[in-house]
Amino acid sequence: MRSRRSRFHWTWARTLLRGWFYLFAFGQVAFAEPPSVEIASPRSGSPLFGNTLIQARVHSSEALETVEVWLNGARAGTLPPPDFRLEVDVGEDNRERLIEVVARTVVGSEGRARRTYLPVRIDGKIELQLQQVFVTVTKNDGERVLGLKKGDFLLRDNRQKQSIVTLESGEIPFSAVLLLDASVSMKGRQMKAVEQGAQTFVEGLADLDEARMMVFAERLIASTGFTMEADDLVQVIPSREVEGGTALYDHLLWATHLLKERLSRRVMLLLSDGHDVHSLVSMDQVAEAIQRTEAQVYWIQISEPGVAEETRNFFHSFLPPKEIMRQRRLLRRTVERTGGRILRVSQPQEIVGALAEVLQELRDQYAIGYYPEPGIDDGRWHELQVEALLPGLQAKTRKGYYAPSPAPPQAP
């Protein structure tokens, strides 16, 4: 009798313990707060194309088992902690896309976030054109960095984050204008080195690159059309020294007009000491024209060895010294704002290396393409910001662009 009663008590106790266990376990699931999930990138409202960085913010009081990303109802992968980032190829077709991020904990609770991305609208009222930005990426020591992907960049147009549609690198064709200062201040060994440097540059042109040469002093001495033939370019370099001063800003402005109609990326390459004494236009006019042309400007600044620029005496036909220095500072600032740079050389033999360096930098640049937000045809200046997201990298590009002016209303 005692044995039966003991067995009964033990069976009852075991059932009770099992019930407590299930109550505790399933109670944990029932009362555990689900994870908080937010889609941090891509932002709402931007169309998606190609490789797209998807990043989520996930907060959970319980240990996470998995965080998955779903694209248009199909599982696209998992977002690994702690960053919860994944690059997904969403395709190049212009269509609506649904991204969903689902986070599950080890006890079975679940949180999710979803966001719909609309296609680019193209109709009779809105027509978006792909905007291209050319970017140089370097390490802290100046070494250029290759092999980056779309998800390694962040691009803002007027502080608004943009969805990067295309990313190219390598042999990206360009149209270049080479401006060779042949004034009296450039005579002797410097002019010979300029000729050798120009020869180095044009011989490095790729199959689809084109260039034209402008040799100038106070007037245009020689010029070519745009060509892919190196021999046609270098043959216009004068074989004898040219007397006279420099109308630098006048010829820079002329070069912007020549580049304006070119369809490939635009480059201006200036070989000069930068001393303007005869121009009729101001550097203020030239700066705006360059920004509207969206050309990158590289200046091989040829200086006298051991002579600081601040100690030089500057003369102009009709400008006071302070205004001469202001416009010269504006020239330097304009070069930097285009995403180009100034390479200062003091020895003739350095010119060839400087031009080879410019050519290699052009080859190592990235071309980032994006569709600006609808309604940017306001004719105003738009600030551009490009960041390389990997630590220790710097991205350099032009500071902005002028948006197209609004189309005039059509007559009824």
Side-chain angles (χ1 to χ4, degrees):
M1 190 74 178
R2 288 182 180 178
S3 177
R4 289 182 180 178
R5 187 176 300 170
S6 298
R7 284 197 302 271
F8 171 77
H9 285 179
W10 170 243
T11 301
W12 180 83
R14 187 170 57 184
T15 303
L16 183 61
L17 287 171
R18 184 179 299 166
W20 285 344
F21 171 78
Y22 284 119
L23 179 63
F24 175 78
F26 288 105
Q28 284 285 93
V29 176
F31 295 107
E33 186 174 347
S36 170
V37 182
E38 178 186 357
I39 298 176
S41 179
R43 69 185 182 88
S44 178
S46 58
L48 302 186
F49 298 92
N51 291 332
T52 301
L53 177 65
I54 298 175
Q55 184 172 16
R57 298 189 186 99
V58 182
H59 302 283
S60 176
S61 58
E62 303 291 338
L64 291 170
E65 181 179 34
T66 183
V67 179
E68 297 178 335
V69 59
W70 293 69
L71 174 65
N72 294 335
R75 185 178 180 276
T78 60
L79 305 179
D83 296 331
F84 303 107
R85 295 163 51 121
L86 179 68
E87 191 172 280
V88 175
D89 187 355
V90 302
E92 298 292 347
D93 51 328
N94 188 29
R95 55 169 292 190
E96 179 179 301
R97 292 180 171 86
L98 172 65
I99 289 180
E100 190 168 20
V101 176
V102 181
R104 296 185 181 88
T105 66
V106 293
V107 298
S109 62
E110 183 179 283
R112 62 181 61 213
R114 58 189 300 168
R115 184 175 291 170
T116 300
Y117 299 86
L118 299 178
V120 176
R121 181 186 170 195
I122 302 177
D123 56 24
K125 297 181 179 180
I126 299 177
E127 182 176 353
L128 298 180
Q129 293 186 346
L130 187 72
Q131 180 81 12
Q132 278 198 315
V133 182
F134 298 99
V135 183
T136 302
V137 181
T138 59
K139 299 179 182 178
N140 293 328
D141 59 3
E143 179 186 353
R144 286 186 291 274
V145 178
L146 307 178
L148 299 181
K149 300 179 180 179
K150 282 192 285 188
D152 298 324
F153 291 94
L154 175 64
L155 187 149
R156 290 187 175 92
D157 185 321
N158 269 359
R159 301 184 180 180
Q160 297 296 316
K161 183 181 175 183
Q162 303 295 314
S163 177
I164 295 176
V165 178
T166 61
L167 179 70
E168 300 177 27
S169 60
E171 300 292 332
I172 304 171
F174 61 79
S175 298
V177 174
L178 281 73
L179 295 114
L180 275 58
D181 182 352
S183 62
V184 66
S185 62
M186 294 284 294
K187 66 180 181 179
R189 291 195 307 149
Q190 288 181 331
M191 195 62 218
K192 185 63 177 177
V194 166
E195 179 183 352
Q196 294 171 349
Q199 180 85 33
T200 299
F201 186 87
V202 298
E203 287 178 352
L205 297 178
D207 290 342
L208 298 179
D209 297 332
E210 62 174 7
R212 70 178 296 162
M213 190 82 72
M214 294 177 63
V215 183
F216 70 96
E218 59 187 16
R219 58 183 174 81
L220 184 64
I221 298 167
S223 179
T224 70
F226 281 99
T227 179
M228 301 179 183
E229 300 297 329
D231 292 340
D232 295 340
L233 294 167
V234 296
Q235 69 180 4
V236 301
I237 299 177
S239 57
R240 59 183 178 84
E241 294 177 0
V242 177
E243 298 296 329
T246 311
L248 175 60
Y249 305 148
D250 289 351
H251 291 91
L252 280 173
L253 184 62
W254 194 344
T256 64
H257 292 306
L258 295 174
L259 279 172
K260 187 167 55 177
E261 303 302 323
R262 313 316 292 182
L263 298 179
S264 56
R265 61 169 166 163
R266 301 158 186 157
V267 178
M268 293 172 62
L269 187 57
L270 173 64
L271 289 88
S272 172
D273 54 13
H275 303 320
D276 187 296
V277 296
H278 285 306
S279 284
L280 299 178
V281 302
S282 70
M283 186 58 212
D284 302 82
Q285 296 169 273
V286 177
E288 181 174 344
I290 288 175
Q291 290 166 349
R292 291 189 179 279
T293 307
E294 300 181 5
Q296 287 181 281
V297 182
Y298 290 86
W299 177 13
I300 310 300
Q301 183 183 359
I302 302 168
S303 59
E304 293 183 27
V307 178
E309 184 177 341
E310 294 77 10
T311 64
R312 302 247 349 228
N313 292 322
F314 296 93
F315 301 96
H316 195 280
S317 299
F318 44 84
L319 292 179
K322 286 187 177 180
E323 179 62 16
I324 296 171
M325 293 302 297
R326 186 193 71 82
Q327 294 201 30
R328 189 174 172 85
R329 288 193 297 268
L330 180 57
L331 170 60
R332 290 197 297 267
R333 189 162 64 247
T334 300
V335 171
E336 294 165 355
R337 287 178 63 84
T338 67
R341 60 181 172 129
I342 302 170
L343 291 81
R344 190 172 184 181
V345 298
S346 58
Q347 300 293 338
Q349 62 269 22
E350 296 174 335
I351 297 176
V352 174
L355 282 163
E357 167 69 11
V358 170
L359 185 62
Q360 189 58 52
E361 180 169 310
L362 292 172
R363 298 284 180 240
D364 293 342
Q365 286 177 342
Y366 296 88
I368 296 178
Y370 71 101
Y371 287 106
E373 295 292 336
I376 63 102
D377 53 342
D378 51 14
R380 298 180 180 178
W381 174 258
H382 280 239
E383 182 181 348
L384 280 176
Q385 293 176 315
V386 179
E387 298 177 30
L389 298 178
L390 298 180
L393 302 184
Q394 289 82 42
K396 180 187 67 173
T397 188
R398 56 190 166 98
K399 299 300 182 182
Y401 66 98
Y402 282 99
S405 298
Q410 296 187 5

